[in-house]
Amino acid sequence: MGDQKESLRKITTTLALKNDEITNFICCLKQSLENLEGNSSRVQEDLETEFSSLHSVLDELRDSMVTRIKQERASHTYELQSQLSACSKALESSEELLEVANQTLCSSEADDFTQAAKDIKDSVTMAPAFRLSLKAKASDSMSHMMVDFTQEREMLQAIKFLPVPATPEILVSECQVCDNTVTVQWALPEPDTKIDHYDLEHRRTNYEGPPRAREDYPWMVVEGIRETAYTLTGLRFDTRYMTFRVKACNKAVAGEFSELVTLETHAFLFKLDAGSSHQNLKVEDLSVEWDSCGGKIIQDIRKDKNRTNQSPMHSPARTAMNSPKRVPSARVGRDRFTAESYTVLGDTFIDAGQQYWEVRFDKESKAFAVGLALRNLGRFDQLGKSNASWCIHLNNWLHQSLTAKHNNKARALDCPIPDRIGVYCNYEEGALSFYNARTKTLMHTFRTKFTQPVIPAFSVWNGSFSVQTGLQVPSVVQSGQRKNSGTSSSNASLT
């Protein structure tokens, strides 16, 4: 019966996951249909706008050319009419002179004839008819105003939709995730010299599968990439994965996005557990500041809560989200670190793998410590004072010193004091190393054997610090650890 129930539970879980996938796919299809309608309307409006613009250009060109024809016709008409008028007047004058000459020829009086002939001769010499050019000043041809739109018509007939660039393919085998950078590489199916640039989009996600209808994080865009590879730097990996897609663009239009590619971005994430911290520490998610009045404030809060019969166990400020490695907020009320243990722990324990995080601290702090602790670290225990914690400790009280501490034993460290420390833990190898976070110079390494989960631990007195998580183990740290693996440790007396 029990085995059948377990089998049925597995089937139920599988069906539920499949239903979620189908539901998500249905949402994506509906969204695609909506996008199709919107995109179709948009390109149709663009097409109509382009044709209207083309029609406007043709109308303007037609009006301009018709105006020129009219102007040419008016000019020729004026010239020809002017010439016609002049010729008509000359002809009329010539006909009158001809009639006079004929009448003179018919005259019988010799004296009158001689004088009349002389007058006619002078009139003919001055007659307009003999000063006229009998060549037309303007042509009646308008062939020079003819047009041939054969080439333009062919160009118009050749109009078609713009060539869309091919869809790139992201080369997963060539992509790299290391040192909190991601290098994405892609290629086109065939070379295309008309490609102007690429647009890359990336989005953080906690889901490895296909995109969900509603994602928690938006797409981030990198535009104008000239090469077929791009490296994102300075990332903080606060999700399990990053999803990428890329499209090619020519001078006119962009192509389709590539298939989504999801890359794992493993990094150690945690926050500080304010519920178990010392009362004099003002704790935010990833920062701590010394507060000399903290203890008095907490006592006042307790009094107020006792008056209202409200248990501090249920204080909203102490509620924590559980996760597979999330430490339940069990240290509340009297279980806070107290006395001179100005300690705060992370809210996530380490029980496997290699992890790395960094802490920036105020170098003027009277005292500061960073390291690892077991979950059963006592509420009065200072870091490094018992066998349940390992740390490096900065002391600015009376004189400045930097030491490595474990089990109430200390070793002075002969190295400059950085303003940022990197912490590396290899759980299986039992290695805990501290680095100058800027130069990645090794400061100290503890070598031990972890028999139970450990938690990031911090302590500060009269100072402050902030933690940076979501970091991958730097390549230079991994390389140095591999070189030192298997060698004897000079810190054996502390482990």
Side-chain angles (χ1 to χ4, degrees):
M1 185 69 176
D3 292 342
Q4 291 178 341
K5 284 187 175 181
E6 182 63 26
S7 177
L8 185 58
R9 287 193 189 97
K10 291 182 179 179
I11 293 174
T12 303
T13 301
T14 302
L15 286 174
L17 292 174
K18 179 56 68 176
N19 288 345
D20 287 343
E21 290 181 7
I22 295 175
T23 301
N24 180 61
F25 185 61
I26 290 174
C27 292
C28 291
L29 289 177
K30 290 181 178 179
Q31 185 63 49
S32 295
L33 286 172
E34 292 181 8
N35 294 342
L36 179 61
E37 290 296 323
N39 292 334
S40 299
S41 299
R42 177 177 56 79
V43 295
Q44 183 174 341
E45 290 176 1
D46 291 345
L47 181 65
E48 292 174 352
T49 301
E50 288 296 327
F51 271 100
S52 296
S53 176
L54 185 59
H55 289 156
S56 298
V57 171
L58 290 174
D59 289 341
E60 291 177 3
L61 182 60
R62 180 198 60 195
D63 293 343
S64 174
M65 298 181 76
V66 167
T67 300
R68 284 196 59 192
I69 290 175
K70 290 179 178 180
Q71 291 173 344
E72 192 77 4
R73 182 183 63 186
S75 175
H76 284 206
T77 299
Y78 175 79
E79 291 291 340
L80 291 174
Q81 285 183 343
S82 297
Q83 196 171 17
L84 175 62
S85 177
C87 288
S88 297
K89 290 180 178 181
L91 179 61
E92 183 180 352
S93 175
S94 180
E95 286 178 346
E96 291 178 354
L97 186 60
L98 179 61
E99 184 178 353
V100 171
N102 288 330
Q103 291 177 356
T104 302
L105 288 174
C106 295
S107 175
S108 57
E109 296 181 3
D111 295 337
D112 294 338
F113 177 83
T114 302
Q115 185 61 40
K118 183 177 181 301
D119 292 341
I120 292 172
K121 181 180 179 182
D122 292 339
S123 296
V124 169
T125 303
M126 300 300 295
F130 292 95
R131 296 198 304 269
L132 286 176
S133 171
L134 298 182
K135 181 180 180 181
K137 292 183 178 180
S139 172
D140 60 353
S141 173
M142 293 294 286
S143 58
H144 63 288
M145 304 299 289
M146 298 292 290
V147 294
D148 181 8
F149 286 149
T150 301
Q151 184 177 357
E152 288 77 5
R153 189 178 295 109
E154 291 176 353
M155 291 176 61
L156 289 174
Q157 291 173 344
I159 291 177
K160 56 185 178 180
F161 293 108
L162 291 171
V164 179
T167 303
E169 178 186 2
I170 296 180
L171 307 176
V172 181
S173 60
E174 303 296 326
C175 297
Q176 294 184 349
V177 181
C178 65
D179 293 334
N180 283 86
T181 66
V182 178
T183 298
V184 184
Q185 191 164 340
W186 57 88
L188 290 171
E190 295 181 358
D192 187 349
T193 57
K194 294 183 178 180
I195 296 299
D196 180 68
H197 65 273
Y198 298 89
D199 291 344
L200 176 68
E201 295 190 356
H202 58 94
R203 177 167 63 187
R204 295 175 293 165
T205 181
N206 285 308
Y207 304 96
E208 186 178 11
R212 303 168 66 85
R214 295 181 179 179
E215 290 283 354
D216 297 329
Y217 300 94
W219 285 107
M220 306 302 290
V221 183
V222 182
E223 298 177 320
I225 302 173
R226 301 294 179 179
E227 305 296 333
T228 56
Y230 189 79
T231 300
L232 296 167
T233 61
L235 300 174
R236 178 176 181 264
F237 294 150
D238 54 0
T239 57
R240 294 177 60 192
Y241 306 97
M242 287 184 70
T243 302
F244 297 87
R245 63 184 185 183
V246 65
K247 63 182 178 182
C249 307
N250 56 29
K251 291 289 187 181
V253 67
E256 295 290 332
F257 275 110
S258 65
E259 293 289 332
L260 295 178
V261 167
T262 301
L263 302 177
E264 185 176 7
T265 53
H266 171 75
F268 184 45
L269 286 169
F270 67 89
K271 294 181 180 179
L272 299 175
D273 181 18
S276 65
S277 66
H278 193 282
Q279 295 175 356
N280 287 108
L281 300 183
K282 182 180 179 181
V283 181
E284 299 294 339
D285 287 343
L286 289 172
S287 63
V288 172
E289 185 176 356
W290 168 266
D291 183 4
S292 59
C293 299
K296 182 179 183 302
I297 293 174
I298 293 296
Q299 290 173 2
D300 292 342
I301 293 175
R302 286 177 179 170
K303 290 178 182 178
D304 292 339
K305 289 181 177 179
N306 289 335
R307 283 197 295 267
T308 58
N309 294 323
Q310 182 179 358
S311 171
M313 181 68 73
H314 303 289
S315 170
R318 292 174 183 160
T319 303
M321 294 293 293
N322 290 331
S323 70
K325 290 187 178 182
R326 191 75 60 181
V327 178
S329 184
R331 290 184 178 272
V332 293
R334 61 181 179 85
D335 289 332
R336 282 179 174 272
F337 288 101
T338 189
E340 295 183 356
S341 180
Y342 304 113
T343 302
V344 59
L345 302 177
D347 65 354
T348 305
F349 63 80
I350 301 171
D351 61 358
Q354 302 178 59
Q355 316 297 345
Y356 180 84
W357 62 98
E358 294 182 357
V359 56
R360 183 191 298 271
F361 59 94
D362 180 4
K363 295 173 68 173
E364 301 301 321
S365 301
K366 294 298 182 184
F368 170 77
V370 56
L372 287 178
L374 302 180
R375 297 175 63 180
N376 60 358
L377 180 68
R379 59 193 295 258
F380 293 97
D381 290 346
Q382 299 180 38
L383 294 185
K385 290 294 187 71
S386 70
N387 61 359
S389 63
W390 301 257
C391 74
I392 59 174
H393 180 269
L394 169 67
N395 181 20
N396 274 327
W397 184 246
L398 299 181
H399 68 279
Q400 189 177 73
S401 64
L402 185 66
T403 56
K405 290 186 175 183
H406 172 63
N407 201 18
N408 208 24
K409 296 179 181 179
R411 177 186 294 273
L413 301 181
D414 185 17
C415 62
I417 299 175
D419 62 351
R420 198 170 81 230
I421 294 176
V423 184
Y424 166 82
C425 173
N426 186 327
Y427 188 86
E428 285 79 10
E429 296 291 332
L432 171 61
S433 297
F434 300 89
Y435 290 84
N436 181 320
R438 294 189 181 278
T439 64
K440 299 300 183 291
T441 303
L442 179 64
M443 299 170 62
H444 184 77
T445 295
F446 290 103
R447 296 200 179 276
T448 184
K449 182 178 181 181
F450 298 123
T451 58
Q452 56 179 295
V454 290
I455 310 174
F458 310 86
S459 177
V460 66
W461 175 45
N462 279 335
S464 62
F465 69 88
S466 60
V467 183
Q468 185 176 7
T469 67
L471 301 178
Q472 294 186 306
V473 180
S475 300
V476 64
V477 171
Q478 286 185 327
S479 176
Q481 290 291 327
R482 283 193 294 267
K483 290 180 181 179
N484 295 331
S485 180
T487 62
S488 59
S489 173
S490 60
N491 309 309
S493 60
L494 296 178
T495 60

